Amino acid sequence: MSNPISGFSKLSKTQKIAWLSKNYFKENTQATHVLQRYWNSDTALQKLHDDFIENTVSNYYLPLGIAPNFLVNNDLYAIPMVIEESSVVAAASNAAKFWLDKGGFTTNVISTTKNGQVHINFFGDTKDMTAFFSVVKPILIASISQVEKNMKKRGGGLLDIQLIDSTNSLKGFYQLHCTFETLDAMGANFINTCLEKFAQTIEREAKKFKAFISSQTYPEVVMSILSNYTPECVVRASVSCHVDLLTQKDMEGYVFAQKIVRAIAIAKATPRRAVTHNKGIMNGIDAVILATGNDFRAVEAAVHAYASKDGQYSSLTHGSIENDIFTMWIEIPLALGTVGGLTSLHPLVGFAFDLLQKPNATKLMQLVAVAGLAQNFAALRSLVTTGIQKGHMKMHLMNILNGIQATDTEKASAVDHFTAKQISHSAVISFVEQLRA
Ligand code: MEV
């Protein structure tokens, strides 16, 4: 085990790697070599990446793939996806192609309100707190006039502040629940700055409020932070067609449609299936979120909380057959930004935005929702017909071959051989061993 180090962040990148090598790799040069192999020879680009976080020692690559042929509200998109899982981009592309001649995807943004809270302790009389809030509310609003000036000019800003008495859930707990419109910004910085201003204002004004002075009981701010749960920032995407158009190789369209609807019902009925069902949706969503430089942790947290909004963790997608029309849709909260954060810094994010025709935040919400719906349709389509392993292993074949350092000729023979055969890890290895023998 190594000794603790202080001042690690002050070391140069080379010194940091030397320290790692000495303390964790017995000075073995292999580890250093791996880290250095991923340095970018363009020093300006490397510096940009170094500065994204603290203690950068190298870059961690993930593939950027493209899923073309997405018809969304009659416009055609090629969607950028950053993901390591072999079959995700292929599945998205298949789903896009499948729906291309059936009207494509239809989307609409239901709402775009973000929110944050100032969490407050107050152990006095609720009536005093309510009276204080009605006095302080206009002062709170005025206190952020400078902060929200630019946002307001563009049509956004603070929407409202409410006092929420949460003393039934936790003794002495009140919240200032604040709602915002942050337009094309994800809004975290803007919201947190406003909330911290509110917190200072609350504490300052409370000291002057007569009822608090006479009871000698003052509200105390515990913390101020945006909420990543954004159930008022919601987008919907759907696909729909006559069941006859859904006919599969060995399955009638109506039967296939029923199976998809049933698969969704199963995800609604049991969290064990819902988690995997939604994981498949997030394969598509996270990949676009990463490609567009947005915060996938925030999106994941919001989406899964939303999946539980009715009291049980459930499917994020829905399906129906009415008068022989099959419809499948997704409704999810997505707080995204197309300005700020990484969006203007990372050159590949710039590429992704150009590819998507410079979307604003609401357009991006729609495209991300489409990617999630497409991914779910593709997964369910496989699951209720061939099973997922066939397509998944086909895409995974190259990883198995790379894992055993197969040559190009061996790879070509393997791809040829396994076109009509079942792929498994052991089958691929024994095939290549035979070739080598
Ligand atoms: C695999 O990454 C995703 C799936 O398991 C999703 C699902 O089961 O719906 C195929």
Side-chain angles (χ1 to χ4, degrees):
M1 265 322 238
S2 85
N3 293 320
I5 179 170
S6 62
F8 185 69
S9 66
K10 306 273 181 327
L11 301 180
S12 69
K13 199 199 286 185
T14 312
Q15 288 168 327
K16 286 185 184 100
I17 294 174
W19 182 85
L20 289 174
S21 172
K22 179 162 178 266
N23 287 278
Y24 290 95
F25 297 97
K26 302 187 179 126
E27 311 260 8
N28 173 343
T29 53
Q30 182 58 22
T32 306
H33 177 65
V34 171
L35 293 176
Q36 289 178 345
R37 249 184 107 188
Y38 283 88
W39 288 0
N40 202 298
S41 56
D42 176 336
T43 49
L45 191 65
Q46 185 54 59
K47 177 86 178 82
L48 183 72
H49 283 73
D50 288 351
D51 290 346
F52 283 152
I53 59 166
E54 190 164 83
N55 298 343
T56 309
V57 289
S58 191
N59 308 304
Y60 187 106
Y61 293 170
L62 286 176
L64 165 62
I66 306 294
N69 297 321
F70 270 98
L71 188 65
V72 182
N73 301 336
N74 292 324
D75 286 327
L76 209 47
Y77 292 89
I79 296 191
M81 303 179 91
V82 169
I83 188 148
E84 87 300 343
E85 190 173 324
S86 323
S87 51
V88 169
V89 178
S93 307
N94 282 342
K97 199 76 172 287
F98 184 88
W99 287 103
L100 184 61
D101 60 1
K102 298 173 186 67
F105 295 78
T106 306
T107 60
N108 64 295
V109 170
I110 295 168
S111 49
T112 57
T113 301
K114 319 269 173 61
N115 69 97
Q117 291 75 29
V118 179
H119 301 283
I120 299 170
N121 281 344
F122 179 67
F123 297 97
D125 191 333
T126 299
K127 280 208 295 302
D128 292 347
M129 189 62 173
T130 314
F132 172 62
F133 179 67
S134 55
V135 172
V136 85
K137 186 172 174 179
I139 307 174
L140 291 172
I141 295 171
S143 74
I144 57 157
S145 62
Q146 266 315 103
V147 179
E148 67 167 351
K149 202 167 151 201
N150 284 337
M151 189 65 91
K152 249 187 151 164
K153 245 191 243 160
R154 296 198 300 270
L158 175 73
L159 298 176
D160 195 15
I161 313 177
Q162 287 169 294
L163 175 70
I164 299 185
D165 177 351
S166 300
T167 52
N168 279 342
S169 356
L170 182 67
K171 194 163 177 262
F173 175 38
Y174 294 80
Q175 300 169 74
L176 289 189
H177 174 74
C178 311
T179 47
F180 300 88
E181 171 54 62
T182 61
L183 306 168
D184 288 336
M186 187 260 191
N189 277 335
F190 172 71
I191 293 175
N192 288 334
T193 308
C194 292
L195 295 175
E196 288 185 8
K197 200 86 191 143
F198 294 155
Q200 288 162 6
T201 311
I202 285 277
E203 294 202 313
R204 188 191 65 223
E205 294 301 315
K207 294 206 182 83
K208 305 180 203 160
F209 192 66
K210 275 208 185 100
F212 296 152
I213 295 170
S214 54
S215 66
Q216 282 296 293
T217 310
Y218 296 90
E220 176 204 1
V221 172
V222 181
M223 57 189 170
S224 316
I225 186 76
L226 95 164
S227 172
N228 285 123
Y229 186 43
T230 53
E232 297 88 20
C233 185
V234 172
V235 60
R236 183 188 144 111
S238 64
V239 284
S240 191
C241 72
H242 194 280
V243 289
D244 288 349
L245 296 177
L246 293 173
T247 302
Q248 306 293 297
K249 209 157 141 230
D250 297 316
M251 204 180 277
E252 274 180 29
Y254 188 71
V255 176
F256 174 74
Q258 275 183 320
K259 281 183 182 267
I260 296 270
V261 171
R262 187 70 179 163
I264 295 171
I266 289 170
K268 289 185 187 213
T270 153
R272 282 191 193 269
R273 173 57 201 150
V275 169
T276 318
H277 179 97
N278 291 346
K279 186 275 182 185
I281 294 172
M282 298 315 286
N283 279 342
I285 290 182
D286 282 343
V288 188
I289 295 292
L290 274 170
T292 55
N294 272 272
D295 181 343
F296 63 91
R297 286 88 54 209
V299 168
E300 284 275 350
V303 160
H304 294 297
Y306 196 72
S308 310
K309 71 179 182 345
D310 298 324
Q312 174 178 302
Y313 188 88
S314 182
S315 168
L316 293 161
T317 53
H318 313 274
S320 69
I321 306 168
E322 273 168 32
N323 302 323
D324 287 342
I325 301 294
F326 167 78
T327 306
M328 183 171 168
W329 69 99
I330 188 169
E331 194 194 283
I332 41 168
L334 285 174
L336 305 182
T338 50
V339 297
L342 212 62
T343 56
S344 56
L345 283 179
H346 199 303
L348 284 175
V349 172
F351 161 82
F353 281 138
D354 288 347
L355 180 66
L356 295 174
Q357 312 301 308
K358 301 195 190 322
N360 58 15
T362 51
K363 179 52 75 63
L364 186 60
M365 285 167 78
Q366 297 171 67
L367 296 174
V368 170
V370 162
L373 179 63
Q375 208 65 41
N376 186 232
F377 176 77
L380 297 185
R381 185 185 182 193
S382 297
L383 286 167
V384 303
T385 56
T386 57
I388 60 150
Q389 279 311 85
K390 194 168 168 231
H392 186 73
M393 290 311 283
K394 189 171 150 214
M395 296 310 302
H396 194 53
L397 174 60
M398 217 30 88
N399 288 342
I400 303 174
L401 290 166
N402 283 331
I404 52 171
Q405 284 83 42
T407 63
D408 287 348
T409 324
E410 287 167 347
K411 284 179 185 169
S413 311
V415 169
D416 194 37
H417 174 81
F418 283 104
T419 310
K421 297 225 161 38
Q422 192 172 357
I423 302 169
S424 71
H425 197 265
S426 55
V428 175
I429 288 179
S430 79
F431 175 76
V432 174
E433 274 170 4
Q434 269 172 28
L435 282 183
R436 288 176 182 171

